[in-house]
Amino acid sequence: MFKIILLMVFFISTVIVKLLSTFLPINDQTSGEIFKRLPVFFTPANYVFYIWIAIFASLAWWIWNMTMDYKSSRPIPSKRILLFGVASILYILCVYSWHYEHFLYTFVTLTLLLGCLFILYLTYPLDDINRKNRLPISFLLSWTFISFFINLSYLLTFYEFDGFGMTKSLWGVIFLTIATAIALHFRYHYSDRLMLVIFIWTFLGVAIHHNFSQLLLTTASLFLSCVLIVGIIFLKKSAKTL
């Protein structure tokens, strides 16, 4: 039961910090107010960020399944509890670093968070049952990848990165292309369709945000969304190689 209580504490703490960062000023400013200060090139429309509601709902479901496993006397891997706890702490540190405008520390913490979640993701084997149980972690990992690119874009803009002579739109396309490659990698090697869905959600948000004011970026967002849709339908690894 102690493991379940720990999970709940970590989860509730994460939710509270997220709510504070969104609705109540930490350091007298919300996360959105900080983000809107700079013309970040990798930026989705505001509605995209409401995905956190679905993420927290899926994590609540994940904890509920853990509780059912406990009641059924099925073992709850301590490694997953530890990794989720570390991820929650890193997320909280990331939020506070952001609100106190330590953007480099925020990026470093977010990178560590991404690594931690990936390790947690790998604790689930590739059989069908475990894929279903892995969905909430896949959901969170997918959005953390997106947050990584958004945060990196903000960091480069904050430090007035000159882009090696390339335009911000072109850098946005580069980010979108790298994100697409990551999503397709997870689809092929881990049979993960959900990650592609989250990336499509974001890419369409990028297209809507720019609304053809940046033709190259908008077109790339829509094209790569179509690529990911094709990946969801057709891309899969042969069962013999799993």
Side-chain angles (χ1 to χ4, degrees), residues 149 171-184 199 203 224:
F149 285 109
W171 273 103
V173 173
I174 291 172
F175 277 28
L176 288 166
T177 305
I178 294 172
T180 300
I182 291 171
L184 293 176
F199 279 43
F203 288 7
L224 292 174

Side-chain angles (χ1 to χ4, degrees), residues 51 142 183 192-203 228 232:
I51 199 172
S142 303
D192 194 330
R193 291 183 175 90
L194 178 59
M195 184 168 292
L196 277 69
V197 172
I198 306 306
F199 279 43
I200 291 168
W201 168 265
T202 304
F203 288 7
L228 291 177
I232 291 174

Side-chain angles (χ1 to χ4, degrees), residues 5 14 91 99 105 113 119 182 190 194 226 231 239:
I5 293 173
T14 303
Y91 175 76
H99 278 266
Y105 295 146
L113 172 59
I119 295 171
I182 291 171
Y190 301 102
L194 178 59
C226 293

Side-chain angles (χ1 to χ4, degrees), residues 13-212:
S13 300
T14 303
V15 172
I16 289 174
V17 170
K18 178 60 181 177
L19 291 175
L20 289 175
S21 72
T22 304
F23 299 109
L24 295 176
I26 298 176
N27 193 30
D28 296 323
Q29 52 193 347
T30 65
S31 57
E33 289 170 349
I34 300 172
F35 186 74
K36 291 177 182 178
R37 289 177 190 167
L38 298 178
V40 181
F41 54 86
F42 189 87
T43 309
N46 290 335
Y47 78 86
V48 171
F49 295 94
Y50 287 106
I51 199 172
W52 271 109
I53 298 172
I55 292 174
F56 285 139
S58 69
L59 288 174
W61 177 74
W62 181 69
I63 294 173
W64 172 259
N65 284 340
M66 291 276 203
T67 305
M68 293 300 101
D69 287 342
Y70 170 78
K71 290 183 177 179
S72 301
S73 298
R74 288 191 289 269
I76 300 176
S78 298
K79 185 177 182 180
R80 288 178 188 164
I81 309 297
L82 177 61
L83 288 168
F84 184 75
V86 172
S88 297
I89 293 170
L90 286 171
Y91 175 76
I92 291 170
L93 290 174
C94 186
V95 169
Y96 275 91
S97 296
W98 174 262
H99 278 266
Y100 284 91
E101 302 184 23
H102 301 304
F103 300 126
L104 183 58
Y105 295 146
T106 302
F107 179 72
V108 171
T109 307
L110 184 59
T111 304
L112 293 174
L113 172 59
L114 191 60
C116 181
L117 289 175
F118 180 60
I119 295 171
L120 177 56
Y121 181 91
L122 292 179
T123 63
Y124 287 92
L126 287 180
D127 58 87
D128 289 339
I129 294 176
N130 279 287
R131 283 181 201 166
K132 294 177 182 178
N133 294 333
R134 185 190 67 188
L135 285 177
I137 303 305
S138 174
F139 204 162
L140 182 57
L141 177 63
S142 303
W143 182 248
T144 304
F145 269 120
I146 296 299
S147 298
F148 176 87
F149 285 109
I150 293 173
N151 189 270
L152 178 57
S153 177
Y154 192 95
L155 187 67
L156 293 176
T157 304
F158 178 77
Y159 284 108
E160 299 180 349
F161 174 60
D162 63 7
F164 299 118
M166 292 186 288
T167 64
K168 289 184 177 181
S169 290
L170 184 55
W171 273 103
V173 173
I174 291 172
F175 277 28
L176 288 166
T177 305
I178 294 172
T180 300
I182 291 171
L184 293 176
H185 170 82
F186 276 83
R187 172 69 181 108
Y188 182 74
H189 290 283
Y190 301 102
S191 300
D192 194 330
R193 291 183 175 90
L194 178 59
M195 184 168 292
L196 277 69
V197 172
I198 306 306
F199 279 43
I200 291 168
W201 168 265
T202 304
F203 288 7
L204 293 177
V206 171
I208 290 171
H209 174 78
H210 291 286
N211 194 26
F212 290 101

